[in-house]
Amino acid sequence: MAATAKEKANVKVNGSDRSDFNGMMEVEYSYLFECLRKNKEDYIYLSDLINALEAVGIRENDPRLKLDPAELDIAPQVVLDYEKFKHILKHSFGGLIKDAIQGNLIIPDFASFCREITEIYELTNKNKNGNVATYIPQLGRVDPDKYAISICTVSGQQFSIGDSNEDFCIQSICKPINYCMVLEEHGEDIVHQHVGREPSGIGFNGLVLNENSLPHNPMINAGAIMTCSMVKPEMDMADRFEYVLNFWNKITGNQNSLGFNNSVYLSEKETADRNFALGYYMKEKGAFPENTNLLSTLEFYFQCCSIQTDTNAMAIAAATLANSGICPITNERAMENNTVKNCLSLMNSCGMYDFSGEFAFTIGLPAKSGVAGGLMLVIPNLMGIAIWSPKLDKSGNSVKGIEFSKELVKRYNFHIYDSLTLNNPDKKDPRLKRNEAKIDGAISLNWAASEGNLLEVQHIYARGIDINMADYDGRTALHLAASEGHEHIIAYLIDKGVNLNPRDRWGNTPLQDAYKGNHDATILLLEANHALK
Ligand code: GLU
């Protein structure tokens, strides 16, 4: 019989395990392969690899995986022998597959987290309050009951629920991104010679400037018109717009998910008296950079507001901000850390219209909303969230978006100052515990087995933990799974060659535990595999 991957891995090359450019060693590849192998075959199924990745939120079209699209179409039949599996691991982005299979992504138990998000979605979906914006007639025609949530973590784990594949207009959510673009282009000092960074205390389209005759900040209309005047002013209009789309493409992981809503654009332009007034007022005060063409600046601002996309893509953009400017699913840097820091600071203080102070206090996260019902929420170093639901409250924020945010920070310690009240038993932390690796392997394996958590058992197995390890009472994972009647765990452990008859300090075998618990199906399974009583 051919040597198993594990046996092959045990043959040391030149007396030592070789590690590749991902820092992975042969023995690690073999554990990952073993983890996915079934029935002692010499191969694994590509579909099992994809399922293992999807279980932790890594989508099969994640560009970092570099999976062959032709093979993906027929994935259930495609088999990977050890060498082919290794090839895929080596060519995917540094350690991604390893971290996914070992449960080392930023949210290790992604399935539980997504279940909770689904619960919050369903709860908040019951709230039918609010009204769709009508001041731009075209926006008033959208279905008011649409609701979508998408999440992307800084590890690139994605989850979506609801109408997440439907496009909506980004509207004011273009404001923070345009601000990032001009910071990258001109630097902070020049940009802030033309726009302030103080909340205005008045409505988003207020006809008022600060004491220096500048717009208060880039998150309100006057400030956004100002930043628009600074986006590649030397280019012609077509190239400027393309430049903006390219930037959005970069921060959304090059998924080509951006569009333009021409009807909204035309409708907005027809009803933009206030924005024209703001523009002329700033022109009269000499606020614009020299040689600014006011009419094309306004035109460009309306175009930016009329870009459309879905929550899937917007969550990736938010995650790029959460990840200090590096897009999590391409690993490409789209902007400098400092740009992100400045942008998030202003989103935190000015991103939610006249509810900004309240939002900073209760939710405690940088966010930006738009009148089409979009809301982009950033949890620094953890994830980006995009919400879309068109009904707005009196401040102009999505009703469901606000409700969702409130419920989220009620359950999780995501408010930026929750770090000061650590160990609050009412709030969960889904993040990877950095000291998890130090926890004794046997304890975590036994715990996962007793809980019936197969994914966690697989993750621990993939880390190379010995499945026969016992705790100080001689209890093994098999004992605990048998005591609780978790056949799926037992079947997995048997497939991995577990010792069927370990005895704990009281002399009990797993089969005896199954009898004690009256778990008939477990008894049958163990006896079919010749376990001893
Ligand atoms: N296009 C909108 C306006 O200037 C943007 C409004 C918004 O989303 O806040 O009126």
Side-chain angles (χ1 to χ4, degrees):
M1 208 190 88
T4 67
K6 211 162 172 178
E7 283 158 0
K8 279 184 206 155
N10 286 339
V11 180
K12 305 232 171 137
V13 185
N14 297 334
S16 66
D17 283 337
R18 273 198 311 203
S19 60
D20 66 17
F21 57 87
N22 281 341
M24 279 179 71
M25 291 194 295
E26 194 69 35
V27 67
E28 289 188 282
Y29 288 118
S30 75
Y31 269 114
L32 300 176
F33 187 79
E34 275 294 306
C35 170
L36 297 170
R37 199 160 72 108
K38 283 180 188 154
N39 306 325
K40 313 246 177 323
E41 304 282 12
D42 263 350
Y43 53 80
I44 60 164
Y45 288 94
L46 176 59
S47 51
D48 284 340
L49 172 60
I50 293 170
N51 289 341
L53 295 169
E54 288 193 339
V56 291
I58 301 299
R59 294 188 173 162
E60 66 176 53
N61 65 354
D62 189 308
R64 294 168 300 170
L65 293 175
K66 302 198 178 78
L67 291 177
D68 180 353
E71 287 194 334
L72 285 175
D73 274 349
I74 47 162
Q77 295 102 52
V78 176
V79 296
L80 309 170
D81 64 15
Y82 181 60
E83 289 308 318
K84 196 151 181 221
F85 174 72
K86 231 167 77 171
H87 176 85
I88 290 182
L89 256 76
K90 280 186 175 171
H91 284 81
S92 68
F93 171 73
L96 171 65
I97 295 180
K98 174 185 156 201
D99 284 343
I101 298 182
Q102 293 184 339
N104 286 333
L105 302 178
I106 189 89
I107 300 192
D109 189 356
F110 197 61
S112 299
F113 182 69
C114 296
R115 269 197 300 279
E116 190 113 10
I117 295 296
T118 305
E119 220 178 280
I120 304 180
Y121 174 88
E122 279 158 7
L123 184 75
T124 49
N125 201 11
K126 293 185 188 133
N127 188 330
K128 302 292 176 203
N129 296 335
N131 295 301
V132 171
T134 49
Y135 79 105
I136 297 173
Q138 214 68 25
L139 285 181
R141 297 186 193 155
V142 69
D143 178 352
D145 292 323
K146 294 283 174 195
Y147 187 22
I149 307 277
S150 294
I151 284 173
C152 178
T153 72
V154 293
S155 298
Q157 299 161 280
Q158 295 182 71
F159 173 72
S160 287
I161 183 162
D163 303 301
S164 58
N165 292 324
E166 288 198 34
D167 283 349
F168 61 95
C169 254
I170 64 173
Q171 287 293 325
S172 266
I173 303 174
C174 72
K175 290 171 179 168
I177 304 304
N178 283 359
Y179 175 56
C180 289
M181 275 188 271
V182 295
L183 284 177
E184 292 282 298
E185 190 182 338
H186 304 283
E188 181 181 328
D189 291 347
I190 298 208
V191 170
H192 286 291
Q193 282 169 22
H194 300 279
V195 59
R197 39 199 184 211
E198 188 68 23
S200 67
I202 49 147
F204 74 107
N205 59 1
L207 198 52
V208 62
L209 299 177
N210 69 16
E211 59 189 13
N212 301 321
S213 301
L214 298 178
H216 282 83
N217 66 68
M219 304 296 154
I220 53 169
N221 283 16
I225 294 169
M226 183 56 71
T227 53
C228 272
S229 77
M230 302 173 87
V231 177
K232 296 284 174 195
E234 71 287 355
M235 285 184 177
D236 62 36
M237 288 293 277
D239 286 340
R240 285 175 91 181
F241 188 67
E242 200 166 293
Y243 176 79
V244 172
L245 281 188
N246 285 341
F247 194 86
W248 268 97
N249 241 325
K250 248 187 177 169
I251 61 174
T252 52
N254 301 321
Q255 309 269 296
N256 291 323
S257 42
L258 296 156
F260 178 72
N261 191 324
N262 197 40
S263 342
V264 171
Y265 160 71
L266 293 170
S267 181
E268 166 138 25
K269 196 169 142 177
E270 282 306 305
T271 52
D273 292 345
R274 174 56 67 100
N275 287 327
F276 277 95
L278 282 169
Y280 280 107
Y281 185 32
M282 292 193 285
K283 184 169 180 234
E284 188 229 345
K285 294 288 182 188
F288 285 108
E290 248 174 72
N291 302 324
T292 294
N293 178 329
L294 177 61
L295 293 183
S296 53
T297 295
L298 286 164
E299 184 88 347
F300 182 54
Y301 168 69
F302 305 143
Q303 288 173 5
C304 291
C305 291
S306 306
I307 291 173
Q308 61 178 18
T309 191
D310 59 21
T311 53
N312 287 304
M314 190 171 276
I316 300 172
T320 300
L321 293 172
N323 199 28
S324 63
I326 298 173
C327 175
I329 67 160
T330 57
N331 209 45
E332 273 174 31
R333 182 170 280 289
M335 54 190 128
E336 292 305 317
N337 321 30
N338 233 22
T339 296
V340 176
K341 181 182 141 210
N342 290 342
C343 179
L344 294 183
S345 303
L346 289 182
M347 282 168 71
N348 197 46
S349 56
C350 319
M352 298 296 288
Y353 303 116
D354 290 349
F355 193 67
S356 298
E358 193 60 33
F359 194 87
F361 185 87
T362 50
I363 313 293
L365 290 171
K368 184 73 198 88
S369 62
V371 292
L375 200 169
M376 183 164 85
L377 192 61
V378 179
I379 309 176
N381 296 315
L382 183 55
M383 70 175 77
I385 301 181
I387 306 164
W388 172 53
S389 172
K391 283 188 175 175
L392 309 179
D393 60 19
K394 62 179 187 336
S395 305
N397 293 309
S398 161
V399 170
K400 290 191 178 102
I402 297 283
E403 287 305 300
F404 177 88
S405 310
K406 281 185 182 161
E407 198 57 39
L408 184 74
V409 296
K410 203 162 110 191
R411 299 177 186 216
Y412 290 99
N413 61 358
F414 290 166
H415 186 298
I416 37 175
Y417 299 123
D418 273 338
S419 55
L420 300 173
T421 56
L422 273 185
N423 304 328
N424 177 347
D426 298 333
K427 291 197 179 197
K428 286 181 269 209
D429 185 357
R431 296 165 181 89
L432 175 66
K433 303 279 183 302
R434 293 290 164 197
N435 63 357
E436 213 166 54
K438 292 190 205 133
I439 298 173
D440 181 21
I443 293 177
S444 36
L445 180 64
N446 284 4
W447 176 82
S450 70
E451 291 281 300
N453 187 337
L454 181 60
L455 188 61
E456 186 63 20
V457 169
Q458 288 169 334
H459 287 161
I460 296 167
Y461 180 73
R463 284 176 217 154
I465 302 292
D466 178 0
I467 50 174
N468 291 313
M469 262 205 300
D471 68 12
Y472 46 81
D473 284 330
R475 305 283 289 160
T476 65
L478 197 63
H479 279 109
L480 287 143
S483 296
E484 301 296 331
H486 295 311
E487 293 99 59
H488 61 301
I489 304 285
I490 296 172
Y492 183 81
L493 293 171
I494 292 177
D495 190 52
K496 299 301 161 215
V498 73
N499 170 14
L500 282 160
N501 303 305
R503 293 203 180 263
D504 64 17
R505 63 187 278 201
W506 300 279
N508 291 325
T509 63
L511 182 56
Q512 284 170 320
D513 284 345
Y515 269 105
K516 272 187 215 148
N518 294 322
H519 301 303
D520 295 342
T522 303
I523 295 169
L524 277 179
L525 176 62
L526 286 168
E527 286 185 343
N529 284 280
H530 314 295
L532 301 175
K533 203 167 155 189

